[in-house]
DNA sequence: GATTGATCCGATACTTAGTCTCATTAGAGT
DNA sequence: ACTCTAATGAGACTAAGTATCGGATCAATC
């Protein structure tokens, strides 16, 4: 539900305005990733009269709070994924768009090794996994 | 040098045209990542009369051949990195933009573990590491 | 419940990234 | 040199995202 998003926003000290509630509901209604364009389309379909800018602003805000994360799809588009604010990675189903979160399962060893070999100090990383979720695997 | 790019293009069975040679030279002259906009700016600065579309077309072509790879910078911009056509990952210096390639150092174990936990079948992944290169580390 | 002032809003103009079309040009094999 | 196809530049177009601004709205205080 959207309650979680709203609660987190409240806690972040920002206003719980009408448009924000509506957009949060739209996000909650999607399961899996979505693009800004998806939300804009949803909003206009329901004639919620929220502006494009407001949607981008809220997405920025949510991303800042770690409630949503930007994901780059294999085709180069930008999508967002609602998620826990802890560090983790995403598994994206290329067939239906469902997502799963995976926490660090050994990636630190990889970055340490890469750092050792290259001499770089590694500050952050981005790992995205693309595949097919259990549903889509069996449906095929 | 740009010879490598040109040789690879030749081998791919496409024409080695003037604009392609010029753009390849621009790419070779940069060390590290670059954006399409960078190339467009370079080209116009030198008044090589090559069109925007031509640059995007060549980038697509190079990406198809694996001679260049798309990287998503932490700020959400799209960049390209010239590289070997084998599977590998990139280490990007957030300070100067230099890049290093790292081959798979244990990432398969991570994807296998993620697959086991989530039930997804994993088809591909994208790993990008951001940090500071040895030069920038010592310069600081 | 009214006041109030900062936050947030929608509209809209603008910028940037990338795609498409099409008439013209120029490779490269013959 | 000829020819035929792939590639080109120009420029229109679309999509994604940002900036600005006057007006609206939330929520703390009274």
């Amino acid at each position: 539900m959207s309650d979680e998003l709203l609660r987190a926003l409240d806690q972040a000290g920002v206003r719980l305005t009408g448009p924000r509630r509506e957009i949060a509901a739209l996000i909650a209604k999607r399961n899996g990733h979505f693009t800004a364009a998806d939300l804009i389309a949803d909003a206009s379909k329901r004639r919620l009269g929220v502006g494009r800018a407001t949607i981008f602003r809220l997405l920025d805000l949510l991303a800042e709070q770690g409630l949503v994360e930007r994901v780059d799809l294999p085709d180069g588009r930008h999508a967002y994924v609602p998620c826990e604010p802890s560090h983790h990675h995403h598994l994206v189903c290329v067939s239906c768009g469902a997502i799963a979160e995976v926490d660090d399962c050994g990636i630190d060893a990889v970055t340490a090794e890469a750092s050792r070999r290259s001499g770089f100090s590694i500050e952050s990383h981005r790992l995205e996994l693309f595949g097919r979720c259990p549903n889509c695997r069996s449906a095929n």
Side-chain angles (χ1 to χ4, degrees), chain A residues 59-112:
Chain A
L59 285 173
D60 283 352
L61 192 55
L62 292 173
E64 234 167 66
Q65 306 293 324
L67 301 166
V68 129
E69 206 166 286
R70 288 185 80 130
V71 175
D72 293 291
L73 268 21
D75 64 9
R77 286 182 316 166
H78 293 153
Y80 293 85
V81 174
C83 61
E84 298 300 314
S86 64
H87 182 72
H88 60 272
H89 302 290
H90 291 110
L91 241 160
V92 181
C93 177
V94 295
S95 169
C96 72
I99 54 113
E101 301 187 12
V102 298
D103 46 23
D104 288 296
C105 25
I107 232 247
D108 287 348
V110 175
T111 63

Side-chain angles (χ1 to χ4, degrees), chain A residues 74 91-98 128-134 136-137:
Chain A
L91 241 160
V92 181
C93 177
V94 295
S95 169
C96 72
E128 281 149 22
L129 302 167
F130 303 99
R132 302 172 71 84
C133 70
C136 292
R137 287 176 75 178

